[in-house]
Amino acid sequence: MKQTLPDKNGHFGIFGGRYAAETLMPALIELEKAYEAARQDKNFQKEFAWYQREYAGRATPLYYARRMTESLHGAKIYLKREDLNHTGSHKINNTLGQALLAREMGKKKVIAETGAGQHGVATATVAALFGMECKIFMGEEDIRRQAPNVFRMKILGAEVVPVKSGTATLKDAMNEAMRYWVGSVRDTFYIIGTTAGPHPYPRMVRDFQSVIGRETKKQIMKMEGRNPDVMIACVGGGSNAMGTFYPFRDEKNVAMYGVEAAGLGMNTSEHSASINGGKVGVLHGNKTYLLQDAFGQVRDAYSIAAGLDYPGVGPEHAYFHATKKVKYVTVTDKEAVAAFSFLSRKEGIIPALESAHAVAYAMKMAPKMAKNKIIVVCLSGRGDKDAQTIIETGAL
Amino acid sequence: MKRIEEKFAALRAKKEKALIVYLTAGDPSLDMTKKLIFGLEKAGVDILEIGVPFSDPTADGPVIQAASQRALKAGTTLAGVLKMVSDVRKVSEIPIVLFGYFNPIFAYGVKKFALDARKAGVDGVLVVDLPYEEAGELRIYTDASQIDFISLIAPTTDKERLSKIAASAAGFLYYISITGITGTATPKIDNIKTEVGKIRKITKLPIAVGFGISKPQQAKEIARFADGVVIGSAVVRLIDENKNNRDLVEIISGYVSEIKQAL
């Protein structure tokens, strides 16, 4: 029988694990048990599927981007429209799952970290839906550049806690959420937004997000009668990419590309490409690739896309990189902004700046591929939140 | 050889309790940390916990977070901390525990760390984000180097976990007196007494209590049933407040000797 990962302590090869403070360990073990029970509980899965369908609006379309395809003169491009989910990104797939689990575990308070604010909004949304008290930790810099999402969280009744430490972005928000959790662990459920953190989060978030890849598989089979040749998704922590890739992990002839943010360029220190520009280390409960200095101090990440602005990456991505299952590539701020404008004008779809990294890589690949080849891009979120950032670049 | 074990044995013989003090190495400078260590030893401190600064100290409150940032800005590295410890060792036998997070040790190389730490005269390591389940990758080297791997017990740790942790523990057990990060809440003495009693039943190792202790009276009450108390954030705050004072060492020494006398 094929071994499934992670192993019982949450390791994917040398990556992953549970590098957490003792105060949190009992809660992590309790969560692991509760998740294992929910995973095998038909009623839980049925209810989860019901909320995904009736509340989030799944299945999301797999859309053939005709004008984009024609103007690139190459492979056929399909967009997996996660931007059409309720709240505007794939994040709701995971927060619905975790909120249902919190309810099963009798926890009435939830906390979350957020970068772009998409996970914060998705968490505030499910907290409202299930009547839970909600605190969102967000870096001050991100509060500034993602203001519309801050308002949405407040409208939904969440408290947004500004985080001033470090570069006041996603890493610092996660530090602060973990610190708060150490003090509130008895009655509070921490909804981590990506496939990172201590075990069981990477596995649990992967499972909740895998609906993206499962739907894609059915949809492309119906439309094209075969698997895509190439799949592309952006990678910060990596939850939309993991959700897209995981159901295809054992398929032959599907080349998968995870796109990291190269920021101002890989020859500068201003990027967020943990796999392409980092080394193995331990942060936020797991062993993975990290941006760090020679002394093991974590470096500040940078990307124009707040949701990619994180110095680590989910441990299963680290494992997929080590085993060459997925190829990890990079796209700069400039290329992402160009792709943002391109998709908006060609298809009338404004992508999140995070997703625009994946679109940009498709724009590089498609012209080099034959017209009968197929690319699927995970369009993980919508770009309304990025209007201010785009105006500041002068791209308009 | 086993300085921690010997220290607790000597204290027990004198019917005294251990005062353990935490300092963030390199705040305000490694040179000052060394001077503070000598001052603390004279003031009656029994064991030192030397914090190795880390960029993302997720189990620490604002006081130690800020100290870690200052120490890193001052250029503090693990190699520098080990050098400082070896300087201290030339003239002092005070037991020293390195306290910190795993990534700086991992980046240094776990095997090299265990060898160099032993050479420098480090007696124990306490790695906050290396729980029982993950400790093996460091312990295979530190155990071989006869460096005590100090384990934490939290208020949330259940009985089954406690037995597992205690079975492989070394040096002393560190009971976290609050459900929270360092220096952010006031411990409830009665609860701690009950929990320390439970730990006492399954281990012969000394039990120290820390996270949130700042006053002589608290230390005194806890020392009635524990073998030692740890003072961290309170000292780190006092160092920061007086870092430009010529009498810094005397001020810190005065504070800790007051606590030592209360024990």
Side-chain angles (χ1 to χ4, degrees):
Chain A
M1 213 182 109
K2 244 186 114 156
Q3 195 203 357
T4 57
L5 291 175
D7 68 14
K8 69 178 170 52
N9 283 320
H11 294 271
F12 303 87
I14 66 159
F15 304 104
R18 201 152 32 186
Y19 297 83
E22 177 59 25
T23 309
L24 296 179
M25 287 301 290
L28 291 168
I29 291 164
E30 183 198 356
L31 175 62
E32 181 193 353
K33 285 183 185 150
Y35 175 60
E36 196 50 40
R39 213 172 57 84
Q40 294 173 26
D41 177 354
K42 283 205 177 82
N43 288 328
F44 180 91
Q45 294 300 334
K46 215 171 135 186
E47 193 176 12
F48 181 37
W50 186 89
Y51 276 105
Q52 290 198 324
R53 189 176 67 242
E54 303 296 328
Y55 186 72
R58 301 205 72 92
T60 60
L62 183 67
Y63 166 74
Y64 169 51
R66 189 177 59 82
R67 294 236 305 144
M68 180 177 176
T69 299
E70 284 171 7
S71 60
L72 293 170
H73 308 288
K76 283 177 93 168
I77 298 170
Y78 284 88
L79 303 175
K80 180 59 175 164
R81 296 292 307 276
E82 291 301 300
D83 60 317
L84 292 178
N85 278 314
H86 178 45
T87 75
S89 81
H90 69 292
K91 294 293 187 186
I92 191 85
N93 300 333
N94 170 47
T95 58
L96 275 173
Q98 290 199 44
L100 283 169
L101 193 55
R103 199 193 60 183
E104 293 286 305
M105 294 172 75
K107 311 257 176 177
K108 295 204 170 66
K109 294 179 184 173
V110 296
I111 57 168
E113 82 294 339
T114 196
Q118 295 298 87
H119 175 58
V121 168
T123 302
T125 299
V126 296
L129 176 64
F130 295 110
M132 293 166 173
E133 203 179 304
C134 178
K135 268 191 180 46
I136 305 290
F137 295 84
M138 188 170 187
E140 279 195 331
E141 167 61 15
D142 289 339
I143 286 178
R144 187 193 66 79
R145 60 179 168 169
Q146 304 287 337
N149 275 342
V150 177
F151 297 133
R152 289 167 78 197
M153 286 182 260
K154 287 182 178 167
I155 290 166
L156 291 160
E159 181 193 345
V160 179
V161 183
V163 177
K164 294 185 182 73
S165 56
T167 42
T169 59
L170 182 53
K171 174 190 84 148
D172 312 292
M174 194 148 179
N175 284 343
E176 215 47 48
M178 289 189 107
R179 288 185 188 117
Y180 181 84
W181 199 34
V182 171
S184 64
V185 63
R186 289 179 200 274
D187 68 351
T188 300
F189 189 105
Y190 182 8
I191 301 186
I192 292 184
T194 190
T195 48
H199 179 61
Y201 284 100
R203 186 235 172 121
M204 181 168 70
V205 178
R206 172 195 81 195
D207 291 351
F208 289 149
Q209 290 292 1
S210 289
V211 66
I212 304 173
R214 284 200 309 272
E215 282 178 9
T216 303
K217 214 169 194 179
K218 275 192 216 150
Q219 291 165 320
I220 198 74
M221 202 50 79
K222 204 168 162 194
M223 288 189 268
E224 294 281 354
R226 66 182 187 89
N227 277 332
D229 300 287
V230 166
M231 302 186 84
I232 304 173
C234 66
V235 177
S239 71
N240 88 84
M242 191 49 70
T244 305
F245 298 159
Y246 191 73
F248 288 88
R249 71 195 180 284
D250 293 325
E251 298 288 344
K252 293 198 177 74
N253 307 320
V254 179
M256 297 185 279
Y257 294 84
V259 185
E260 296 193 300
L264 301 183
M266 291 305 293
N267 54 348
T268 74
S269 59
E270 302 292 298
H271 62 77
S272 303
S274 324
I275 291 177
N276 283 283
K279 281 183 307 185
V280 177
V282 173
L283 179 71
H284 293 155
N286 65 107
K287 188 180 281 176
T288 187
Y289 288 96
L290 286 183
L291 299 179
Q292 55 182 321
D293 68 14
F295 307 107
Q297 306 301 338
V298 181
R299 269 186 25 214
D300 294 323
Y302 164 78
S303 168
I304 192 167
L308 303 181
D309 203 344
Y310 181 67
V313 63
E316 197 163 15
H317 283 294
Y319 179 73
F320 280 174
H321 171 69
T323 55
K324 300 191 164 61
K325 185 145 293 220
V326 175
K327 195 165 189 263
Y328 293 87
V329 296
T330 63
V331 154
T332 63
D333 279 4
K334 219 171 151 185
E335 291 167 323
V337 169
F340 177 96
S341 301
F342 178 83
L343 194 69
S344 300
R345 305 262 165 120
K346 287 289 177 203
E347 296 286 352
I349 297 171
I350 304 176
L353 273 171
E354 292 76 13
S355 323
H357 283 72
V359 174
Y361 200 73
M363 289 164 66
K364 287 189 193 185
M365 281 196 86
K368 294 182 211 152
M369 293 168 65
K371 289 192 173 169
N372 61 353
K373 298 286 182 187
I374 301 167
I375 298 177
V376 168
V377 177
C378 182
L379 201 75
S380 54
R382 55 189 291 161
D384 312 44
K385 68 184 178 62
D386 296 312
Q388 185 61 35
T389 306
I390 289 294
I391 289 163
E392 286 172 17
T393 65
L396 290 183
Chain B
M1 278 302 289
K2 284 278 203 175
R3 291 189 195 90
I4 295 173
E5 195 182 324
E6 284 168 12
K7 174 60 82 174
F8 276 106
L11 288 168
R12 207 173 301 131
K14 290 190 285 180
K15 293 198 158 51
E16 276 183 33
K17 297 303 171 79
L19 173 59
I20 303 169
V21 168
Y22 168 96
L23 295 175
T24 299
D27 174 40
S29 68
L30 276 175
D31 198 43
M32 184 49 82
T33 303
K34 196 162 63 182
K35 285 179 187 148
L36 284 164
I37 288 172
F38 294 137
L40 290 170
E41 188 180 16
K42 256 191 235 156
V45 170
D46 300 296
I47 296 173
L48 284 163
E49 273 184 16
I50 302 299
V52 178
F54 179 48
S55 52
D56 296 84
T58 49
D60 281 302
V63 173
I64 293 176
Q65 282 174 48
S68 305
Q69 282 305 317
R70 289 191 298 267
L72 289 175
K73 260 197 188 142
T76 311
T77 63
L78 179 51
V81 175
L82 291 175
K83 167 78 174 56
M84 192 254 327
V85 171
S86 66
D87 288 348
V88 171
R89 242 341 136 234
K90 285 175 193 156
V91 291
S92 168
E93 287 299 309
I94 190 165
I96 292 178
V97 175
L98 292 191
F99 181 107
Y101 294 78
F102 188 45
N103 203 47
I105 295 173
F106 185 76
Y108 189 92
V110 282
K111 193 173 174 183
K112 185 173 184 308
F113 167 76
L115 292 172
D116 292 355
R118 179 189 165 86
K119 240 185 273 168
V122 169
D123 303 293
V125 285
L126 197 166
V127 187
V128 184
D129 55 352
L130 217 47
Y132 172 78
E133 286 81 351
E134 305 289 354
E137 65 183 291
L138 179 62
R139 285 195 71 161
I140 67 169
Y141 301 111
T142 49
D143 285 1
S145 280
Q146 291 184 292
I147 293 171
D148 290 330
F149 186 88
I150 312 293
S151 300
L152 294 162
I153 308 283
T156 50
T157 307
D158 61 27
K159 210 173 152 192
E160 189 193 332
R161 252 188 104 65
L162 175 59
S163 317
K164 277 200 280 187
I165 295 169
S168 68
F172 60 91
L173 281 165
Y174 187 134
Y175 180 70
I176 301 171
S177 64
I178 53 172
T179 305
I181 51 179
T182 54
T184 52
T186 307
K188 293 193 177 64
I189 306 286
D190 289 347
N191 296 356
I192 301 170
K193 189 176 179 184
T194 312
E195 294 305 313
V196 168
K198 286 184 201 163
I199 302 169
R200 189 76 76 194
K201 279 193 193 130
I202 58 153
T203 185
K204 289 202 166 70
L205 285 177
I207 303 163
V209 176
F211 276 47
I213 303 170
S214 62
K215 297 191 173 64
Q217 184 59 25
Q218 282 175 321
K220 187 180 176 176
E221 286 173 37
I222 290 168
R224 285 197 186 118
F225 51 83
D227 304 298
V229 295
V230 188
I231 313 283
S233 298
V235 171
V236 173
R237 181 185 293 119
L238 204 58
I239 291 172
D240 185 43
E241 284 167 1
N242 295 284
K243 63 185 164 203
N244 298 321
N245 194 321
R246 279 197 346 222
D247 301 327
L248 173 63
V249 175
E250 287 71 27
I251 292 165
I252 305 302
S253 303
Y255 172 74
V256 300
S257 67
E258 197 186 332
I259 291 178
K260 177 66 185 178
Q261 277 157 25
L263 293 186

